Short mmCIF file of all heavy atoms in Angstrom, two decimals:
data_model
loop_
_atom_site.label_atom_id
_atom_site.label_comp_id
_atom_site.label_asym_id
_atom_site.label_seq_id
_atom_site.Cartn_x
_atom_site.Cartn_y
_atom_site.Cartn_z
N PRO A 5 91.26 36.57 -48.14
CA PRO A 5 90.72 35.84 -49.19
C PRO A 5 89.68 36.73 -50.05
O PRO A 5 89.54 36.52 -51.22
CB PRO A 5 89.87 34.77 -48.45
CG PRO A 5 90.57 34.59 -47.21
CD PRO A 5 91.20 35.95 -46.79
N LEU A 6 88.99 37.71 -49.35
CA LEU A 6 88.13 38.53 -50.04
C LEU A 6 88.79 39.46 -51.17
O LEU A 6 88.26 39.61 -52.19
CB LEU A 6 87.27 39.38 -49.20
CG LEU A 6 86.16 40.30 -49.80
CD1 LEU A 6 85.18 39.34 -50.56
CD2 LEU A 6 85.42 41.01 -48.73
N ALA A 7 90.05 39.82 -50.79
CA ALA A 7 90.85 40.55 -51.82
C ALA A 7 90.96 39.67 -53.02
O ALA A 7 90.91 40.16 -54.19
CB ALA A 7 92.17 41.04 -51.21
N LEU A 8 91.31 38.44 -52.89
CA LEU A 8 91.49 37.53 -54.06
C LEU A 8 90.23 37.40 -54.87
O LEU A 8 90.29 37.47 -56.07
CB LEU A 8 91.87 36.19 -53.62
CG LEU A 8 93.20 36.18 -52.78
CD1 LEU A 8 93.44 34.71 -52.21
CD2 LEU A 8 94.43 36.68 -53.48
N VAL A 9 89.15 37.35 -54.21
CA VAL A 9 87.71 37.14 -54.83
C VAL A 9 87.36 38.48 -55.57
O VAL A 9 87.04 38.55 -56.72
CB VAL A 9 86.74 36.89 -53.80
CG1 VAL A 9 85.24 36.95 -54.49
CG2 VAL A 9 86.92 35.43 -53.22
N ASN A 10 87.59 39.65 -54.95
CA ASN A 10 87.30 40.93 -55.48
C ASN A 10 88.26 41.15 -56.76
O ASN A 10 87.68 41.63 -57.85
CB ASN A 10 87.69 42.11 -54.58
CG ASN A 10 86.57 42.18 -53.47
OD1 ASN A 10 85.37 41.75 -53.75
ND2 ASN A 10 86.92 42.69 -52.30
N TYR A 11 89.42 40.79 -56.74
CA TYR A 11 90.41 40.96 -57.81
C TYR A 11 89.96 40.01 -59.05
O TYR A 11 89.79 40.57 -60.14
CB TYR A 11 91.77 40.44 -57.40
CG TYR A 11 92.86 40.89 -58.40
CD1 TYR A 11 93.47 42.10 -58.49
CD2 TYR A 11 93.18 39.98 -59.40
CE1 TYR A 11 94.46 42.37 -59.37
CE2 TYR A 11 94.14 40.27 -60.39
CZ TYR A 11 94.78 41.46 -60.40
OH TYR A 11 95.79 41.77 -61.36
N ARG A 12 89.59 38.84 -58.76
CA ARG A 12 89.12 37.90 -59.83
C ARG A 12 87.93 38.44 -60.41
O ARG A 12 87.58 38.38 -61.60
CB ARG A 12 88.96 36.51 -59.29
CG ARG A 12 88.65 35.49 -60.53
CD ARG A 12 88.56 34.08 -60.10
NE ARG A 12 89.87 33.49 -59.72
CZ ARG A 12 90.77 33.16 -60.57
NH1 ARG A 12 90.69 33.24 -61.75
NH2 ARG A 12 91.90 32.56 -60.05
N GLY A 13 86.96 38.85 -59.53
CA GLY A 13 85.70 39.35 -60.08
C GLY A 13 85.80 40.62 -60.91
O GLY A 13 85.06 40.77 -61.92
N GLU A 14 86.73 41.55 -60.66
CA GLU A 14 86.93 42.70 -61.39
C GLU A 14 87.77 42.49 -62.67
O GLU A 14 87.49 42.98 -63.67
CB GLU A 14 87.52 43.84 -60.53
CG GLU A 14 87.65 45.16 -61.18
CD GLU A 14 86.32 45.97 -61.36
OE1 GLU A 14 85.34 45.48 -60.79
OE2 GLU A 14 86.45 46.97 -61.97
N PHE A 15 88.91 41.67 -62.55
CA PHE A 15 89.82 41.51 -63.63
C PHE A 15 89.91 40.21 -64.32
O PHE A 15 90.50 40.09 -65.32
CB PHE A 15 91.20 41.94 -63.01
CG PHE A 15 91.28 43.32 -62.34
CD1 PHE A 15 91.40 43.33 -61.01
CD2 PHE A 15 91.12 44.41 -63.11
CE1 PHE A 15 91.36 44.59 -60.45
CE2 PHE A 15 91.07 45.66 -62.50
CZ PHE A 15 91.23 45.76 -61.05
N GLY A 16 89.14 39.13 -63.66
CA GLY A 16 89.05 37.94 -64.24
C GLY A 16 90.31 37.13 -64.32
O GLY A 16 90.41 36.05 -65.04
N THR A 17 91.38 37.43 -63.46
CA THR A 17 92.64 36.66 -63.29
C THR A 17 92.90 36.61 -61.81
O THR A 17 92.19 37.13 -60.89
CB THR A 17 93.74 37.47 -63.96
OG1 THR A 17 93.86 38.75 -63.54
CG2 THR A 17 93.45 37.53 -65.51
N ASP A 18 93.97 35.85 -61.56
CA ASP A 18 94.39 35.66 -60.12
C ASP A 18 95.31 36.65 -59.70
O ASP A 18 96.30 36.98 -60.20
CB ASP A 18 95.17 34.25 -60.12
CG ASP A 18 95.45 33.81 -58.69
OD1 ASP A 18 94.66 33.56 -57.93
OD2 ASP A 18 96.68 33.90 -58.51
#
Side-chain angles (χ1 to χ4, degrees):
L6 186 54
L8 303 175
V9 171
N10 285 332
Y11 190 90
R12 183 172 299 279
E14 185 76 6
F15 307 109
T17 59
D18 181 70

